[in-house]
């Protein structure tokens, strides 16, 4: 039991769209704030499903997801592989999508929004590129723009789906640095992660899942050989 | 006068189709219009059987309903049946088209359903099919009275929901995460596509409708850096194709719809080869320069 978890999940089961098969099964978790939380597990373990359920894109079959503070808002950073990067749009326009939720359908963008977008683009080192078309950017730069879009949402909870895949080491370091600062300011930061080499370096806390939760604990306690074996090499029913 | 009317009708159809086409092309749904333009046939026949008239209004209503039903079914097969997008389009439209053919041969042998007319349309006939009031006042071609309001609805929809459509089209998962009702917008878009397809169908035929939905947006995408530029450019391309295509068809005494498609295709080829950023020749030059410098 955590002292003050920001998300409490109880007996959560979520299926894929064809409904017969469960992607995650009876998952119970408490996720701390102010820490960098990594979600680890093999392909098909239900990592993306779990965070899609938290953000509300997928409806649970059963179980509860409780965001402890009702006023908390969530920013979600999808996998960048699903995006058509030849889309005719500028870096600035992508970042400004972060204002949509507060603006609604009919709200118009003003100078303050643009100033904010520039500020957050500067934070990820992309302000010099703000009028560029996104197809001109490298994979790492594209990911930074997505981070700026999430920052512009000014949320309390950040959910990132594999933000480091196809991203250079320099950008990885920059993103981790930003996320660490957010965490130390009390935000909840949850990252679906693939690369086991960097787990100790990046995360304070890890959740290891393979359809069910293997462990959820501080990295030093949880990320040990026994749990890695259980998560990656044992068949789970 | 009839020249100007013909070009006006072709351009209005071109504008409507290419605005909606930008979103379809970017969402990789371009062939949905092909499906709709075929799948509406049973709708047209049923409307004819129920109303016992060939009035444009009933035709569009019947066809529009079937068009919308087609896009709904295609989506449903993908979501619930786990059928690939192209396969589900193929299943639905061939089935409906075949049902339409059977209905035609069974019940409507007395009306002539000209195959060529379905494929290539009849712009000349449409300009002559005018709306006459009982006192003899001529209100112009009936099609105009459908096309103009439809275009206004499309423009209003796209202008009001521009940012929403931009977000959904670019990053649908992000759109869902910030609470945009993406299914609702999907069906609004496909409803507009259905009604545009069937309204245009009679005037310009199946091939030109599909071409207008796909070619001008695809051409514009090669040049545009922003979505709004892509929409405006595709409008311009569709008007240029209508104008040039029509006059060329007069000179060569050939099908105007066919010629408009040919011109649109040639414009695409021109831009594809010569575009300053993404063009084939410039890409070759760039990659050559890159090889030299490395």
């Amino acid at each position: 039991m955590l002292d003050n978890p920001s998300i409490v999940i109880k007996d959560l089961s979520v299926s894929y769209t064809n409904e017969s098969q469960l992607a995650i099964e009876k998952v119970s978790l408490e996720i701390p704030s102010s820490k960098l939380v990594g979600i680890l597990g093999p392909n098909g373990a239900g990592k993306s499903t779990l965070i899609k359920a938290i953000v509300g894109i997928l409806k649970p079959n059963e179980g509860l997801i409780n965001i402890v503070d009702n006023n908390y808002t969530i920013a979600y950073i999808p996998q960048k592989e699903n995006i058509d990067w030849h889309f005719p749009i500028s870096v600035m326009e992508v970042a400004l999508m972060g204002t949509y939720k507060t603006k609604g359908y009919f709200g118009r963008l003003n100078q303050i929004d643009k100033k904010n977008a520039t500020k957050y683009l500067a934070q990820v080192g992309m302000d010099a590129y703000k009028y560029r078309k996104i197809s001109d950017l490298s994979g790492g730069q594209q990911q930074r723009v997505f981070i700026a879009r999430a920052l512009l949402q000014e949320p309390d909870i950040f959910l990132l789906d594999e933000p480091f895949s196809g991203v250079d080491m320099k950008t990885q370091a920059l993103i981790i640095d930003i996320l660490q600062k957010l965490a130390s300011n009390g935000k909840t930061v949850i990252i679906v992660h693939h690369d086991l080499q960097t787990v100790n370096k990046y995360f304070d806390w890890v959740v290891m899942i393979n359809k069910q939760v293997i462990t959820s604990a501080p990295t030093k306690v949880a990320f040990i050989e026994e749990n890695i074996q259980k998560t990656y090499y044992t068949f789970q029913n | 006068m009839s020249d100007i009317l013909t070009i006006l009708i072709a351009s209005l159809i071109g504008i409507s189709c290419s605005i909606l086409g930008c979103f379809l092309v970017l969402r990789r749904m371009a062939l949905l219009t092909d499906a709709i333009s075929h799948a509406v046939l049973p709708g047209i026949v049923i409307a004819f059987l129920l109303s016992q008239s060939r009035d444009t209004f009933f035709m569009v209503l019947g066809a529009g309903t079937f068009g919308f039903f087609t896009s709904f079914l295609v989506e449903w097969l993908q979501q619930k049946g786990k059928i690939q997008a192209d396969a589900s389009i193929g299943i639905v439209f061939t089935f409906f088209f075949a049902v339409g053919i059977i209905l035609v041969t069974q019940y409507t042998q007395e009306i002539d359903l000209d195959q060529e007319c379905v494929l290539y349309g009849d712009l000349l006939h449409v300009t002559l099919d005018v709306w006459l009031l009982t006192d003899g006042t001529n209100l112009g071609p009936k099609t105009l009275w459908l096309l103009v309001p439809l275009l206004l609805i499309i423009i209003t929809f796209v202008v009001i929901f521009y940012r929403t459509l931009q977000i959904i089209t670019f990053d649908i998962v992000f759109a869902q995460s910030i609470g945009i009702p993406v299914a609702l917008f999907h069906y609004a878009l496909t409803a507009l596509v259905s009604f545009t397809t069937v309204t245009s169908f009679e005037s310009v035929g199946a091939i030109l409708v599909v071409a207008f939905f796909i070619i001008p947006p695809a051409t514009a995408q090669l040049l545009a850096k922003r979505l709004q530029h892509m929409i405006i450019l595709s409008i311009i391309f569709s008007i240029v194709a209508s104008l040039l295509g029509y006059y060329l068809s007069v000179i060569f005494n050939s099908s105007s719809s066919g010629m408009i498609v040919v011109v649109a295709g040639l414009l695409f080829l021109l831009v594809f080869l010569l575009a300053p950023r993404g063009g084939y020749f410039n890409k070759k030059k760039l990659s050559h320069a890159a090889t030299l410098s490395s």
Side-chain angles (χ1 to χ4, degrees):
Chain A
M1 280 297 204
L2 288 168
D3 289 342
N4 52 351
S6 85
I7 303 172
V8 177
I9 295 169
K10 237 178 135 48
D11 293 328
L12 180 73
S13 296
V14 186
S15 64
Y16 296 113
T17 10
N18 62 2
E19 281 169 42
S20 57
Q21 208 184 352
L22 288 175
I24 49 175
E25 215 180 322
K26 296 258 172 218
V27 165
S28 293
L29 270 180
E30 293 189 345
I31 292 174
S33 61
S34 312
K35 291 196 164 47
L36 280 193
V37 178
I39 298 185
L40 308 177
N43 288 334
K47 307 184 294 284
S48 296
T49 305
L50 177 62
I51 65 167
K52 277 183 182 165
I54 296 173
V55 80
I57 295 172
L58 292 176
K59 295 263 170 292
N61 294 32
E62 55 177 326
L64 282 175
I65 301 166
N66 183 17
I67 312 290
V68 175
D69 188 327
N70 277 328
N71 300 319
Y72 272 13
T73 55
I74 301 178
Y76 171 66
I77 300 176
Q79 283 185 23
K80 95 187 166 38
E81 281 69 26
N82 299 334
I83 304 292
D84 172 14
W85 292 98
H86 288 287
F87 197 95
I89 194 168
S90 70
V91 167
M92 187 69 168
E93 285 178 296
V94 175
L96 280 169
M97 287 177 184
T99 65
Y100 184 88
K101 208 174 176 179
T102 48
K103 294 264 155 191
Y105 292 122
F106 307 111
R108 300 201 73 85
L109 296 169
N110 54 35
Q111 284 308 314
I112 300 167
D113 298 320
K114 285 176 187 161
K115 229 179 236 168
N116 275 333
T118 310
K119 181 178 89 186
Y120 288 121
L121 282 171
Q123 212 175 325
V124 296
M126 288 301 293
D127 50 329
Y129 295 83
K130 64 182 176 184
Y131 299 119
R132 289 283 199 75
K133 192 176 165 184
I134 48 153
S135 56
D136 295 347
L137 308 182
S138 71
Q141 292 171 325
Q142 289 165 349
Q143 194 58 266
R144 290 196 226 176
V145 176
F146 269 17
I147 302 282
R149 178 174 75 179
L151 291 170
L152 199 61
Q153 289 175 262
E154 304 190 328
D156 305 286
I157 300 169
F158 289 80
L159 300 172
L160 299 91
D161 200 346
E162 305 230 6
F164 303 121
S165 77
V167 162
D168 55 286
M169 289 312 287
K170 189 182 142 215
T171 299
Q172 288 201 21
L174 183 137
I175 292 174
I176 276 292
D177 187 50
I178 291 169
L179 296 175
Q180 247 148 14
K181 276 186 198 134
L182 291 168
S184 59
N185 285 329
K187 307 289 186 195
T188 306
V189 184
I190 303 168
I191 304 166
V192 170
H193 194 64
H194 210 76
D195 176 15
L196 296 183
Q197 309 295 321
T198 47
V199 170
N200 280 310
K201 206 165 90 190
Y202 288 173
F203 302 111
D204 310 313
W205 188 281
V206 291
V207 175
M208 299 174 80
I209 62 169
N210 192 344
K211 304 219 175 216
Q212 293 154 331
V213 179
I214 310 297
T215 178
S216 170
T219 310
K220 267 178 288 177
V221 183
F223 194 61
I224 54 171
E225 194 52 39
E226 188 196 338
N227 287 333
I228 295 172
Q229 283 291 336
K230 266 197 213 161
T231 310
Y232 286 86
Y233 304 107
T234 313
F235 181 73
Q236 300 284 326
N237 286 312
Chain B
M1 185 60 197
S2 99
D3 282 0
I4 294 172
L5 262 180
T6 311
I7 293 168
L8 181 70
I9 289 172
S11 300
L12 281 172
I13 292 170
I15 296 167
S16 297
C17 291
S18 54
I19 293 174
L20 296 173
C22 286
F23 297 99
L24 296 179
V25 167
L26 289 170
R27 287 188 62 183
R28 297 166 199 276
M29 287 164 40
L31 281 179
L32 189 62
T33 63
D34 192 18
I36 289 172
S37 64
H38 286 83
V40 294
L41 187 59
I44 292 174
V45 181
I46 291 169
F48 171 75
L49 291 173
L50 290 180
S51 71
Q52 289 299 321
S53 82
R54 285 184 69 183
D55 192 274
T56 312
F57 175 76
F58 290 111
M59 299 287 128
V60 168
L61 196 69
T65 311
F66 257 80
F68 185 64
F69 188 51
T70 302
S71 53
F72 181 83
L73 212 59
V74 167
E75 184 73 11
W76 188 82
L77 278 178
Q78 275 176 65
Q79 297 292 332
K80 300 287 175 194
K82 291 274 148 200
I83 313 275
Q84 281 92 344
D86 48 358
S88 55
I89 285 177
I91 294 166
V92 174
F93 96 77
T94 49
F95 176 75
F96 278 157
F97 191 61
V99 169
I101 299 234
I102 288 171
L103 286 177
V104 169
T105 50
Q106 287 290 333
Y107 298 109
T108 63
Q109 273 152 352
E110 69 275 21
I111 62 159
D112 80 305
L113 205 125
D114 188 354
Q115 232 180 339
E116 269 191 32
C117 183
V118 171
L119 285 178
Y120 305 112
D122 195 345
L123 267 169
L124 188 67
H125 169 258
V126 164
T127 58
L128 297 176
D129 185 17
V130 291
W131 190 2
L132 287 176
L133 293 186
T134 40
D135 63 358
T137 322
N138 184 347
L139 293 176
K142 281 181 188 165
T143 313
L144 274 181
W145 290 91
L146 285 169
L147 286 176
V148 174
L150 187 65
L151 178 58
L152 290 178
I153 291 170
I154 291 169
I155 291 174
T156 314
F157 175 72
V158 171
V159 168
I160 290 181
F161 295 113
Y162 178 77
R163 275 194 84 207
T164 314
L165 290 167
Q166 182 194 46
I167 295 174
I168 294 173
T169 316
F170 174 65
D171 188 347
I172 191 162
V173 187
F174 176 75
Q176 286 174 307
S177 84
I178 57 174
I180 295 176
V182 295
L184 199 67
F185 276 91
H186 175 80
Y187 288 123
L189 188 70
T190 47
L192 287 174
V193 169
S194 302
F195 280 100
T196 308
T197 305
V198 299
T199 312
S200 319
F201 192 70
E202 190 192 16
S203 319
V204 294
I207 292 175
L208 181 53
V209 175
V210 177
F212 266 149
F213 268 112
I214 302 174
I215 302 177
T219 316
Q221 198 190 354
L222 294 172
L223 295 169
K225 289 169 87 172
R226 306 278 181 277
L227 179 58
Q228 66 263 45
H229 299 167
M230 180 173 162
I231 294 172
I232 291 164
L233 279 172
S234 70
I235 290 173
I236 294 170
F237 284 127
S238 64
I239 295 173
V240 171
S242 303
L243 250 170
L244 268 180
Y246 178 73
Y247 280 114
L248 285 174
S249 76
V250 172
I251 293 169
F252 292 104
N253 191 22
S254 66
S255 149
S256 41
S257 293
M259 203 54 111
I260 292 171
V261 180
V262 169
V263 172
L266 290 175
L267 281 173
F268 174 83
L269 188 66
L270 202 70
V271 173
F272 176 75
L273 294 174
L274 301 175
R277 285 159 49 90
Y280 181 75
F281 286 127
N282 282 298
K283 257 190 207 146
K284 274 205 139 173
K285 231 189 289 174
L286 283 177
S287 67
H288 185 60
T291 336
L292 284 180
S293 67
S294 69

